[in-house]
Amino acid sequence: MLFRLSGIVLAGVFGGLAVFAYAQDPAFLVPKAFTVSQKTAKLSLVLGDASAPVSAAWASWPVRWVFVKTGEFQENRDTVNQWLGSDGSFDPPIPAPGAVMVGVDFQPRLEQVDSSRLAGLVLLRSNSNPSLVVRHYRSAIALLRTQTGTAQDEEGSAVATTETSLSATVHAFMDPTRLMLGGAIAFEVSVQGEEVEGSRLFVKCLATGEVTQLETETNMCHFTPKNAGAYEVCFQYARRTTNDPEAQYDLFSGTMTFSIPTPQGVKK
C-alpha cells in the first residue's frame, strides 16, 4: 500500500528522529553563495546526516562525471581535478549568465549498512543479517544564479528544470531560484533513468532547521516552502541486486541544494 506523506513537517534535525536516519550518508553540493558574482563558483562536498554534516576532501571521492550547465553552454568532465581551487574547494567555471546547474555523479562504493537502517527503504527478510553490503551510488545537484544577466536570464530559465542522466536525480518542475513564496515546487525522482514511485524525500530549510518529509505518489510530490533561503533535498532508494557477488543491494542517494529568493530579491 502506498501512503502519501506529502506535507508532514518534522521539527528538529535529521538525526533526532528515527525517520531521519539515512541508510548511509548522502552527499550534498553546498555553494559558498547561491548567487555567483565571479566567473567561477565555490562549492564544498558535504556528507550528512544533516544533524552532523562533515565536509569531505574531493580527492577522496572520485567522480564518474561532473558538469556545469547554463542556458547557453554545458561543460562536462570525468574528474574534478581541473576545477579544484588551491584550497581544495571545487571551483567550476560559470560559462554564461542566468541560472546554473552543477551536477556530479560519484563513483559507486561498496559499503556495509546496518540492516535496521536499510529496512526503512526495502522489505527485508526476517532472517536478514545484522549488516548488509550495498553498492552505493551518490549523486548531487546545486542550483545557482549569476548576479548579472539579461532580462530573459533574470526572469527564469529552463536550466533549473532540466532532467539529467545522473545515477540518482531529484528533478524540479519549477525553478526554485525564482519561486515566489506561497508557490509550490513539484519534484520527481529517478534512478538510472527510471522514475521511482513511493520514494521518500526530505526537504530541509537551513534557516529554520525545519524538515518536511514527502513521498512520491505515482512519481511526483509537491512542496510549498514557508521561508526564503537555502534548502537541501534528499532521497534514498534501494533495490535488491541480481547475480552480484559483491553487494546484496544497490543503494541510490540523490540530493539537490538551492536558495529561494526573498520577495524583494526577485526582479520583475
Side-chain angles (χ1 to χ4, degrees):
M1 183 178 293
L2 176 64
F3 294 93
R4 187 179 183 187
L5 302 176
S6 181
I8 294 180
V9 177
L10 302 151
V13 294
F14 285 135
L17 297 171
V19 71
F20 297 142
Y22 291 122
Q24 287 288 83
D25 287 342
F28 291 91
L29 281 178
V30 180
K32 183 177 180 179
F34 282 95
T35 301
V36 182
S37 58
Q38 307 294 324
K39 292 185 177 180
T40 62
K42 188 177 289 289
L43 300 103
S44 298
L45 170 59
V46 174
L47 303 177
D49 196 311
S51 62
V54 176
S55 294
W58 283 94
S60 301
W61 290 84
V63 306
R64 302 172 69 187
W65 173 47
V66 60
F67 69 86
V68 179
K69 181 175 179 60
T70 65
E72 299 177 23
F73 302 99
Q74 178 168 330
E75 293 200 32
N76 306 288
R77 298 288 187 276
D78 57 9
T79 175
V80 297
N81 293 344
Q82 185 179 344
W83 294 343
L84 288 182
S86 57
D87 59 354
S89 64
F90 178 46
D91 302 347
I94 305 301
V100 181
M101 178 186 286
V102 182
V104 59
D105 242 348
F106 294 93
Q107 293 284 0
R109 294 189 171 202
L110 292 175
E111 299 172 349
Q112 279 202 327
V113 178
D114 189 319
S115 60
S116 65
R117 301 187 75 174
L118 195 63
L121 299 175
V122 294
L123 180 63
L124 299 177
R125 298 172 182 172
S126 58
N127 63 346
S128 291
N129 295 326
S131 65
L132 299 166
V133 178
V134 299
R135 179 172 282 100
H136 194 175
Y137 296 82
R138 291 176 172 89
S139 305
I141 289 173
L143 300 179
L144 313 173
R145 274 272 169 181
T146 60
Q147 203 167 54
T148 59
T150 66
Q152 184 177 0
D153 291 330
E154 291 299 334
E155 289 172 3
S157 170
V159 171
T161 60
T162 300
E163 293 188 71
T164 76
S165 55
L166 297 173
S167 296
T169 301
V170 179
H171 175 217
F173 283 84
M174 170 177 264
D175 182 355
T177 72
R178 282 297 177 264
L179 182 73
M180 298 293 291
L181 289 179
I185 309 171
F187 292 111
E188 70 175 6
V189 298
S190 61
V191 298
Q192 296 182 331
E194 296 183 3
E195 296 170 356
V196 176
E197 298 182 8
S199 177
R200 292 174 182 164
L201 284 82
F202 295 99
V203 184
K204 182 176 183 180
C205 174
L206 299 187
T208 65
E210 186 176 82
V211 179
T212 303
Q213 177 182 308
L214 311 171
E215 185 166 335
T216 56
E217 187 174 19
T218 63
N219 66 327
M220 193 178 296
C221 60
H222 295 81
F223 172 65
T224 303
K226 296 185 293 185
N227 301 92
Y231 283 81
E232 293 178 346
V233 182
C234 179
F235 84 97
Q236 289 193 321
Y237 177 77
R239 65 187 179 197
R240 187 84 185 183
T241 58
T242 56
N243 301 320
D244 189 331
E246 297 181 307
Q248 294 152 294
Y249 286 86
D250 285 331
L251 174 64
F252 298 87
S253 296
T255 68
M256 175 182 283
T257 56
F258 56 82
S259 182
I260 295 173
T262 57
Q264 63 269 26
V266 179
K267 296 183 180 180
K268 296 183 179 181

